[in-house]
Amino acid sequence: MIRVLAIDDEPLALQQLAKYIEKIPFLELVAECQSALEARAIMEEEMIDAVFVDINMPDLNGMDFVRSLAAPPLVVFTTAYSEYAVEGYKVNAVDYLLKPFGLDDFKRAANKVKAQYDLMNTATVSTVDEDDALFLKTEYKVVRIDVKSIRYVEGMSEYLRIYLDGQAKPLIVLLSMKKLEERLPSSTFMRVHRSYIINLKKIQEVNKNRVVMDADTYIPIGDMYKEAFNDYLNTKFLGK
């Protein structure tokens, strides 16, 4: 199931959007939100795969909301103003629905979301072999990386940035965090935020709610992951 949020400040429009979502068998409506701020709070606690979000909202409009996310989910914008369509695609929106739209239009957008979601979750990634290596598809080629060289992984929409020892630029792959997390050895790697997986052996310092990987890299610890991370620290901690 694809976990989604419906976001619209107009109650009737939000109700209609929620009804459409509930008619699509592969979509799971997690919550109905009347503001982007409400949606952001939910996304800090829940794993969300896609959002159907109105552009024209008070306080924080849908476009700025998506731009503000460190790792936005799949996005379908809805609005009554057609001039926003081009802007929608500039932020990698999966689709754009012009109000008023019917169920058939919504189904087409939902199918695009599913196609992109399936692509993200079936991207080429091997299991870790006996040489501690992974094979990943990037830029139309398959590359081999040493798992031990991975410092941390950052999620950004449908892509991942994989930061490696000795390389200034990250490796960018079309893959979901969940898929890579399942392949990496749990004894060495831990997800500490919805947007970050870290190599536990590369930690230099833990400072409040951040993991310090080096002088320039601070990884936030999400509320959902604090308990597991603290449990790990307790197994390594010496002293009072």
Side-chain angles (χ1 to χ4, degrees):
M1 295 289 282
I2 302 173
R3 292 167 56 81
V4 305
L5 291 181
I7 311 168
D8 200 308
D9 65 305
E10 299 177 6
L12 291 179
L14 181 60
Q15 183 180 27
Q16 186 65 67
L17 182 58
K19 286 182 179 178
Y20 285 164
I21 291 171
E22 290 171 349
K23 289 180 181 293
I24 307 299
F26 52 81
L27 297 183
E28 176 187 351
L29 180 61
V30 176
E32 301 172 35
C33 305
Q34 286 192 267
S35 74
L37 298 178
E38 182 184 351
R40 178 183 287 167
I42 291 173
M43 292 176 71
E44 290 176 353
E45 301 295 330
E46 300 279 350
M47 293 300 299
I48 302 299
D49 300 309
V51 295
F52 292 82
V53 54
D54 185 33
I55 292 177
N56 303 88
M57 294 187 294
D59 297 326
L60 182 63
N61 70 48
M63 199 79 68
D64 289 339
F65 164 63
V66 172
R67 289 193 182 107
S68 73
L69 299 174
L74 300 173
V75 177
V76 175
F77 284 119
T78 67
T79 186
Y81 302 96
S82 60
E83 64 265 26
Y84 284 112
V86 174
E87 288 298 315
Y89 289 112
K90 286 183 180 178
V91 293
N92 295 322
V94 174
D95 206 355
Y96 172 93
L97 288 168
L98 183 63
K99 297 179 179 179
F101 53 86
L103 181 58
D104 287 343
D105 293 325
F106 183 84
K107 283 181 177 177
R108 281 192 288 272
N111 285 331
K112 289 182 180 180
V113 169
K114 186 176 187 302
Q116 188 66 42
Y117 177 85
D118 289 345
L119 178 62
M120 289 165 54
N121 287 278
T122 56
T124 301
V125 54
S126 70
T127 56
V128 178
D129 62 25
E130 60 185 16
D131 295 323
D132 291 327
L134 270 176
F135 289 88
L136 295 166
K137 183 184 289 184
T138 178
E139 298 179 349
Y140 307 104
K141 59 186 178 183
V142 176
V143 298
R144 179 185 184 276
I145 62 171
D146 184 349
V147 170
K148 294 178 182 177
S149 72
I150 299 175
R151 297 176 56 242
Y152 66 96
V153 180
E154 178 185 10
M156 52 170 195
S157 189
E158 65 266 33
Y159 292 89
L160 299 179
R161 289 191 180 110
I162 301 177
Y163 291 83
L164 304 168
D165 286 336
Q167 294 192 22
K169 294 184 178 180
L171 184 71
I172 298 177
V173 299
L174 180 62
L175 190 66
S176 71
M177 290 285 280
K178 181 180 179 181
K179 194 76 172 180
L180 183 60
E181 185 179 13
E182 290 172 350
R183 295 294 191 270
L184 292 172
S186 59
S187 60
T188 307
F189 291 88
M190 179 177 289
R191 192 165 183 172
V192 296
H193 187 277
R194 68 184 301 272
S195 302
Y196 291 98
I197 296 171
I198 64 170
N199 186 334
L200 298 168
K201 295 183 178 181
K202 307 291 184 180
I203 296 174
Q204 291 190 2
E205 182 181 325
V206 179
N207 187 343
K208 296 182 180 179
N209 291 323
R210 301 184 302 177
V211 177
V212 180
M213 306 301 288
D214 57 49
D216 300 314
T217 307
Y218 297 80
I219 306 295
I221 304 171
D223 290 340
M224 291 177 59
Y225 307 92
K226 283 182 182 177
E227 183 176 356
F229 183 68
N230 287 334
D231 288 345
Y232 164 77
L233 288 183
N234 287 335
T235 66
K236 303 293 183 180
F237 188 72
L238 294 178
K240 297 181 180 179

